């Protein structure tokens, strides 16, 4: 699935070129993941002789999907998910049911707010998931790719993430030149 992942990432990154939009996505995605698993952490279940909650069981399919897209990134996301699942377990232990739902609601509001601000204010482009809903699942992978690149790993993905749009060849006339229109500034 690695070539599939690289193609999807190349499309996804076009919606996430601005650095500050990326920062907003880091926080927004973490908050939204925690908001999703918090209420699920309220429901205990016994699975395979182990007492757990619905949260890790519901997270398992998407964790497997991320692992199949890219094993190294999937393992890193699994590590982050374990931390977030543990955080949810601690919150559920000390908060009331109403408190858990209130925290989850606040996290959703803040997480979505970060996403909206990132796209509207910094990127000035609609979110990728509006064009392709499956991109909802690429957000965590994108954030992990950025982390791996920042740490000096995954040069193969850095080529995709850090690609700069190439200007038109100098001998090709552009629409703006032909029609005497001011070109839009790059931001």
């Amino acid at each position: 699935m690695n070539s599939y992942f690289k193609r999807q990432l190349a499309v996804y990154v076009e919606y996430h070129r601005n650095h500050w939009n990326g920062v907003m996505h880091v926080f927004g995605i973490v908050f939204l993941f925690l908001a999703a698993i918090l209420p699920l952490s309220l429901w205990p279940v016994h699975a395979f002789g182990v007492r757990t909650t619905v949260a890790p069981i519901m997270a398992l399919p998407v964790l497997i999907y991320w692992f199949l897209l890219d094993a190294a990134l999937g393992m890193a996301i699994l590590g982050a998910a374990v931390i977030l699942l543990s955080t949810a377990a601690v919150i559920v232990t000390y908060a009331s049911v109403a408190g858990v739902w209130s925290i989850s609601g606040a996290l959703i509001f803040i997480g979505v707010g970060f996403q909206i601000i990132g796209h509207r204010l910094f990127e000035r482009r609609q979110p990728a998931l509006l064009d392709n809903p499956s991109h909802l699942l690429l957000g965590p992978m994108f954030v992990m790719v950025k982390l791996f690149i920042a740490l000096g790993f995954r040069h193969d993905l850095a080529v995709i993430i850090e690609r700069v749009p190439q200007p038109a060849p100098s001998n090709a006339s552009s629409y703006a030149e032909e029609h005497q229109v001011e070109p839009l500034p790059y931001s």
Side-chain angles (χ1 to χ4, degrees):
M1 274 200 159
N2 204 332
S3 62
Y4 168 79
F5 169 58
K6 287 180 179 180
R7 284 192 313 271
Q8 292 298 311
L9 187 63
V11 173
Y12 186 87
V13 77
E14 292 303 320
Y15 293 80
H16 301 88
R17 288 281 175 202
N18 182 278
H19 169 73
W20 289 109
N21 185 28
V23 170
M24 301 302 263
H25 273 62
V26 169
F27 291 105
I29 288 168
V30 169
F31 288 172
L32 289 170
F33 186 85
L34 185 57
I37 61 173
L38 256 175
L40 298 174
S41 297
L42 290 169
W43 297 324
V45 295
H46 294 284
F48 306 109
V50 177
R51 186 168 191 266
T52 186
T53 66
V54 173
I57 295 169
M58 296 299 287
L60 190 59
V62 74
L63 290 170
I64 291 169
Y65 172 72
W66 288 327
F67 181 79
L68 290 174
L69 286 178
D70 187 282
L73 296 171
M75 288 302 292
I77 289 177
L78 174 63
V82 167
I83 292 168
L84 291 170
L85 287 163
S86 299
T87 302
V90 169
I91 292 170
V92 165
T93 300
Y94 293 104
S96 66
V97 172
V100 168
W101 282 99
S102 296
I103 293 168
S104 186
L107 288 170
I108 290 170
F109 180 78
I110 294 168
V112 169
F114 277 139
Q115 305 293 335
I116 291 171
I117 290 169
H119 278 285
R120 295 279 184 204
L121 183 64
F122 298 116
E123 197 71 45
R124 299 189 186 271
R125 186 169 185 182
Q126 70 182 11
L129 82 105
L130 292 180
D131 288 336
N132 185 347
S134 72
H135 283 179
L136 177 68
L137 298 176
L138 282 176
M141 291 293 280
F142 174 73
V143 168
M144 199 55 69
V145 166
K146 297 283 271 186
L147 175 62
F148 270 49
I149 292 168
L151 294 173
F153 304 114
R154 298 308 299 264
H155 302 290
D156 61 323
L157 298 178
V159 172
I160 296 169
I161 295 290
E162 296 170 353
R163 187 181 72 222
V164 178
Q166 299 298 317
S170 59
N171 62 354
S173 65
S174 69
Y175 177 86
E177 291 171 349
E178 291 177 4
H179 295 86
Q180 299 176 359
V181 176
E182 286 290 325
L184 294 174
Y186 286 103
S187 28

